[in-house]
Amino acid sequence: TSPCTYLWYLDMRKITDINVRKAIGYAYPYVDVWKAGGEIVGLTRVPGTSILPPGTAGRVEYDVLGIKGQNTDPEKAKELLTQANAMGYELKFLYATDDPLSVAAKDQIVKGLEAGGFKATPIASTSEKIREERTDYNSPINIRSTGWCSDWPTGGSWFPAQWDGALVGLEGMPNVANFKEADADAKQKEILDGSADEAAASWGEFDK
């Protein structure tokens, strides 16, 4: 009912190994977490493999991990962690202690991550404070669970607001992954400065 995509934003300053990043994607227990959090799969929670949600102009279907946005593979996660010499890698994330659904989802996350070879460290917060603590650059967390809802169904309302390196460090932290790559910044500027007729397709490819 809303044009939003909810993600686990990995802090790119802290989680730098691509195999560790991929292992998180394989270990995360998507369906179990959604159900524990009160979501109805296919109704209130639709699996996603791209950042742009359905209905966005130029959206490209892709599935970089080959898991359809919902299939967990702990053995693959452990294989990747072994390759990275990172078995037991610690993942720190917030949850709200005063929200039973958040607590239930946290328990499933911990279970899934540990099955995939990670050390899971949930950090207690509250419904009142979790938003503020999530955007604190000095927080010990290395993953931020949040989402983005566009004002307009185009990549121009999605990517510059979240993935522009110039936003890293700004108050409120719209770039919650601390993603800063010169080529990505240049590409976004190129699309924004380019033809409106070509922008939709360009944003879809940028997403991929």
Side-chain angles (χ1 to χ4, degrees):
T1 59
S2 58
C4 305
T5 302
Y6 299 96
L7 309 173
W8 246 25
Y9 291 84
L10 315 184
D11 192 321
M12 298 298 183
R13 303 169 307 171
K14 298 178 179 180
I15 306 177
T16 58
D17 191 301
I18 188 64
N19 280 336
V20 174
R21 294 176 184 171
K22 289 181 178 179
I24 294 169
Y26 285 111
Y28 190 88
Y30 302 89
V31 175
D32 290 342
V33 173
W34 297 335
K35 290 180 177 178
E39 304 291 350
I40 302 172
V41 181
L43 184 62
T44 66
R45 187 63 85 233
V46 178
T49 58
S50 63
I51 294 172
L52 295 175
T56 307
R59 181 177 186 267
V60 174
E61 289 285 349
Y62 71 97
D63 185 358
V64 67
L65 296 181
I67 60 172
K68 300 181 179 180
Q70 63 179 340
N71 298 326
T72 302
D73 190 341
E75 294 307 313
K76 181 65 175 178
K78 287 189 284 190
E79 177 185 325
L80 288 166
L81 288 177
T82 299
Q83 290 177 23
N85 193 30
M87 284 294 290
Y89 191 97
E90 187 174 19
L91 300 178
K92 301 177 181 180
F93 57 95
L94 296 168
Y95 75 101
T97 57
D98 58 342
D99 180 351
L101 294 177
S102 180
V103 173
K106 175 265 299 181
D107 290 342
Q108 292 302 319
I109 292 171
V110 170
K111 181 180 177 181
L113 292 181
E114 291 181 347
F118 289 95
K119 176 183 178 181
T121 303
I123 296 177
S125 183
T126 65
S127 299
E128 181 181 0
K129 294 184 177 181
I130 195 168
R131 185 181 181 91
E132 177 184 348
E133 292 177 348
R134 188 174 58 216
T135 56
D136 178 3
Y137 271 108
N138 298 314
S139 170
I141 59 176
N142 55 11
I143 290 178
R144 294 175 171 87
S145 178
T146 184
W148 187 259
C149 306
S150 65
D151 297 315
W152 194 254
T154 173
S157 283
W158 280 84
F159 295 103
Q162 293 189 92
W163 308 100
D164 183 347
L167 301 180
V168 170
L170 292 185
E171 184 178 354
M173 200 162 61
N175 187 337
V176 295
N178 294 303
F179 178 80
K180 189 173 185 177
E181 296 289 343
D183 57 344
D185 288 346
K187 186 62 178 179
Q188 290 179 86
K189 186 177 187 304
E190 176 187 320
I191 297 172
L192 289 170
D193 291 344
S195 166
D197 293 335
E198 298 174 0
S202 296
W203 285 124
E205 286 302 315
F206 181 77
D207 187 347
K208 185 176 180 180

